[in-house]
Amino acid sequence: MSTRQLPGSGSVVLGRDEDAGICVPDSSVSRRHAVLHLGPPLRIEDLGSSNGTRVRARHCSAATERLIDVGKSTPARGAAVELSPGDVIYLGAARVVLRQKGGERDAGKDVIVKDDAMRAVYELAQRVANGPINILLLGETGAGKEVLAESIHRASPRASRPLLRLSCVALSESLLESELFGHERGAFTGAVRAKPGLLETAEGGTVFLDEIGELPPSIQAKLLRVIEERKVMRVGGLTPIKIDVRFVSATHRDLEAEVSRGAFRQDLYFRLNGVTLSIPPLRERPGEVAALAQLFAERTANELFPGEASAASVPISPAALAELQRHSWPGNIRELRNVIERAVILANGAPIGPEHLLLSSLADPTRPSHAMPLPARPPQAPPNARAPAPASGSASASASASASASASASASASASASASASASASASASTIARSVPDDAKSAPDGVDPGPTRLRDAMEAHERERIVQALEQCMGNQTRAAALLGISRRTLVERIRVYGLPRPRKA
């Protein structure tokens, strides 16, 4: 393996020819295979090579990576694909890795470890990083599992090899097998050439399987075979291909409970669970909030105001820090980053104050919300009072005045659905949240029909939090799930359980 430093500008030809800017002496590489446009932005263009050019790049909207066929993935033959440091270029069977000078050292600076529990986690991670054993990371969504996985990779003997990030929820089940294991030419319609799987491209490195608890059962069995035999079988292939990778998995689920109910394979769990590292949520690490907030503020300011001296230090007022310390952070570090990025934009160069934070009320029911307030419950009639007869044309089946108002509002919202789908979804979710729970209808006379049992109260509070999150995110379920600190699949399931209308795309 050789290392070449790229010039600051211009173009560099990659190929087998000795006169190429970067000579790649491999029989699968054409004489003039591809050209790197150093930009900015950095791009690669295939020059009509025989075996094609592929790029393993990180997907922009999720913690996963995809293989892109240069030229094939764009409308015009020969069109360039934009690159970033860390991407891997495949020229036929040869591999070229793009690295930013000093990038590995800079990545370590973003790790904030001040809490005693987190120090213990990172110390154990440093010890197990040197071995080949698989590692399982447990923690809530957004708690920092991917950052810990990157630290393990950097501290391991595999640091010079690729780190492959895969999100098990970002790829559909129909594509997951082909992306993970690759396919041979003619394996299915459209497979005009053989394609190596992502696991093959991580040869000698680390594979980070994020949200492993969401892996479909059919893929669980095949992944178990890969871990046991260290071989992959391409779709349509006849001969297994040996691989040398180390698996680091992460999930927010209780995998032991998932194994008990049959949703996750027990043998796969034991294979992945060589060492378990549990990451505490941010609310249990209050000593790290200020340091993380300062890091995110400076990073955001550098992106918004590049080259300005004020971007080097973004002050956060003591009152704002106190607000950040009091918040319970259901979305963990991901929520904190979003709050600080928004605050930097709103502050516009001034010190960040409490008025710039706009903290969500989801984590604290006593915190005032930016959403419309709930209507007050109407006064209850005496136990022996006779209910007035319903007026003609009114909904006589409603349990209370609140429920009747909710029903009519819901019908009105449904009637306007054809005019605006997104407005209908928001209005429907809002009106359902304001209706009386079903359990309240069975309350004894003279007793407030609100939830009287602890479980009912918790469910009512969770339902209200979900509705507020959907309203705040304008019906975007992915953003609402991140705000709540749960996966999108869990949010969809809770919407179904509570009978909330699914927001429709406009």
Side-chain angles (χ1 to χ4, degrees), residues 117-244:
M118 284 297 289
R119 286 195 185 99
V121 170
Y122 270 81
E123 287 174 1
L124 179 57
Q126 291 291 325
R127 290 200 298 269
V128 302
N130 292 325
I133 192 170
N134 296 327
I135 301 174
L136 178 62
L137 307 180
L138 302 179
E140 295 181 4
T141 300
K145 298 187 292 293
E146 184 175 355
V147 175
L148 179 56
E150 293 172 352
S151 299
I152 293 172
H153 175 71
R154 288 196 302 271
S156 72
R158 301 173 180 266
S160 61
R161 309 299 291 178
L163 170 62
L164 173 65
R165 303 170 183 87
L166 284 174
S167 175
C168 298
V169 296
L171 298 174
S172 64
E173 185 174 357
S174 59
L175 294 176
L176 193 58
E177 182 178 2
S178 175
E179 291 290 340
L180 281 179
F181 309 123
H183 61 257
E184 297 290 352
R185 178 180 179 183
F188 49 82
T189 303
V192 295
R193 64 174 67 172
K195 177 181 178 182
L198 289 172
L199 295 180
E200 289 182 57
T201 67
E203 175 66 23
T206 305
V207 176
F208 174 56
L209 298 173
D210 195 15
E211 297 297 350
I212 188 67
E214 315 297 328
L215 200 65
S218 60
I219 306 298
Q220 290 181 26
K222 295 179 180 179
L223 179 61
L224 172 66
R225 190 177 187 88
V226 170
I227 296 175
E228 288 180 337
E229 300 181 356
R230 300 292 170 174
K231 296 178 181 179
V232 295
M233 178 73 78
R234 293 181 181 178
V235 177
L238 300 176
T239 305
I241 301 173
K242 289 185 178 181
I243 60 171
D244 174 24

Side-chain angles (χ1 to χ4, degrees), residues 43 49 78 161 246 376 380:
R43 297 171 298 138
S49 62
R161 309 299 291 178
R246 193 238 196 114
Q380 301 298 317

Side-chain angles (χ1 to χ4, degrees), residues 333-344:
I333 298 176
R334 187 176 295 122
E335 181 188 1
L336 174 61
R337 183 179 64 240
N338 293 338
V339 167
I340 296 301
E341 289 176 351
R342 179 175 61 225
V344 171

Side-chain angles (χ1 to χ4, degrees), residues 19 99 104 119 144 147 149 197-198 205 216 280 304 319 345 380 415 426 445 476 495:
D19 295 333
R99 296 194 183 278
E104 293 297 325
R119 286 195 185 99
V147 175
L198 289 172
L304 293 177
I345 295 174
Q380 301 298 317
S426 176
D445 292 340
N476 188 308
I495 290 176

Side-chain angles (χ1 to χ4, degrees), residues 1-314:
M1 182 177 65
S2 60
T3 302
R4 292 285 302 275
Q5 185 170 348
L6 296 174
S9 60
S11 299
V12 177
V13 174
L14 309 177
R16 196 176 73 246
D17 197 296
E18 294 181 356
D19 295 333
I22 296 180
C23 180
V24 184
D26 189 281
S27 59
S28 64
V29 179
S30 300
R31 293 186 177 276
R32 292 176 57 84
H33 197 108
V35 58
L36 273 176
H37 302 289
L38 302 178
L42 183 63
R43 297 171 298 138
I44 187 168
E45 177 183 346
D46 187 80
L47 297 178
S49 62
S50 300
N51 295 317
T53 303
R54 300 179 181 89
V55 175
R56 196 190 79 196
R58 186 165 185 179
H59 197 273
C60 60
S61 61
T64 191
E65 298 180 354
R66 302 291 297 272
L67 274 177
I68 304 172
D69 283 326
V70 180
K72 186 178 179 181
S73 61
T74 47
R77 172 70 178 173
V81 171
E82 190 169 333
L83 302 172
S84 300
D87 290 348
V88 181
I89 304 170
Y90 290 90
L91 310 175
R95 177 172 59 192
V96 178
V97 181
L98 294 176
R99 296 194 183 278
Q100 188 173 15
K101 190 175 182 179
E104 293 297 325
R105 292 189 297 273
D106 294 338
K109 295 180 180 179
D110 292 345
V111 179
I112 303 295
V113 181
K114 293 182 176 294
D115 183 78
D116 291 339
M118 284 297 289
R119 286 195 185 99
V121 170
Y122 270 81
E123 287 174 1
L124 179 57
Q126 291 291 325
R127 290 200 298 269
V128 302
N130 292 325
I133 192 170
N134 296 327
I135 301 174
L136 178 62
L137 307 180
L138 302 179
E140 295 181 4
T141 300
K145 298 187 292 293
E146 184 175 355
V147 175
L148 179 56
E150 293 172 352
S151 299
I152 293 172
H153 175 71
R154 288 196 302 271
S156 72
R158 301 173 180 266
S160 61
R161 309 299 291 178
L163 170 62
L164 173 65
R165 303 170 183 87
L166 284 174
S167 175
C168 298
V169 296
L171 298 174
S172 64
E173 185 174 357
S174 59
L175 294 176
L176 193 58
E177 182 178 2
S178 175
E179 291 290 340
L180 281 179
F181 309 123
H183 61 257
E184 297 290 352
R185 178 180 179 183
F188 49 82
T189 303
V192 295
R193 64 174 67 172
K195 177 181 178 182
L198 289 172
L199 295 180
E200 289 182 57
T201 67
E203 175 66 23
T206 305
V207 176
F208 174 56
L209 298 173
D210 195 15
E211 297 297 350
I212 188 67
E214 315 297 328
L215 200 65
S218 60
I219 306 298
Q220 290 181 26
K222 295 179 180 179
L223 179 61
L224 172 66
R225 190 177 187 88
V226 170
I227 296 175
E228 288 180 337
E229 300 181 356
R230 300 292 170 174
K231 296 178 181 179
V232 295
M233 178 73 78
R234 293 181 181 178
V235 177
L238 300 176
T239 305
I241 301 173
K242 289 185 178 181
I243 60 171
D244 174 24
V245 297
R246 193 238 196 114
F247 289 94
V248 178
S249 308
T251 182
H252 70 282
R253 293 186 177 274
D254 184 352
L255 286 188
E256 291 185 355
E258 295 294 299
V259 169
S260 299
R261 70 184 188 90
F264 198 84
R265 292 182 63 104
Q266 186 181 50
D267 45 7
L268 177 59
Y269 169 69
F270 289 134
R271 284 292 184 182
L272 296 174
N273 187 20
V275 174
T276 299
L277 301 177
S278 297
I279 304 176
L282 185 59
R283 61 181 172 272
E284 297 178 8
R285 298 143 51 189
E288 297 182 356
V289 172
L292 286 169
Q294 192 65 52
L295 172 67
F296 295 145
E298 293 175 0
R299 183 189 298 171
T300 305
N302 285 324
E303 294 176 357
L304 293 177
F305 317 110
E308 296 187 14
S310 59
S313 177
V314 181

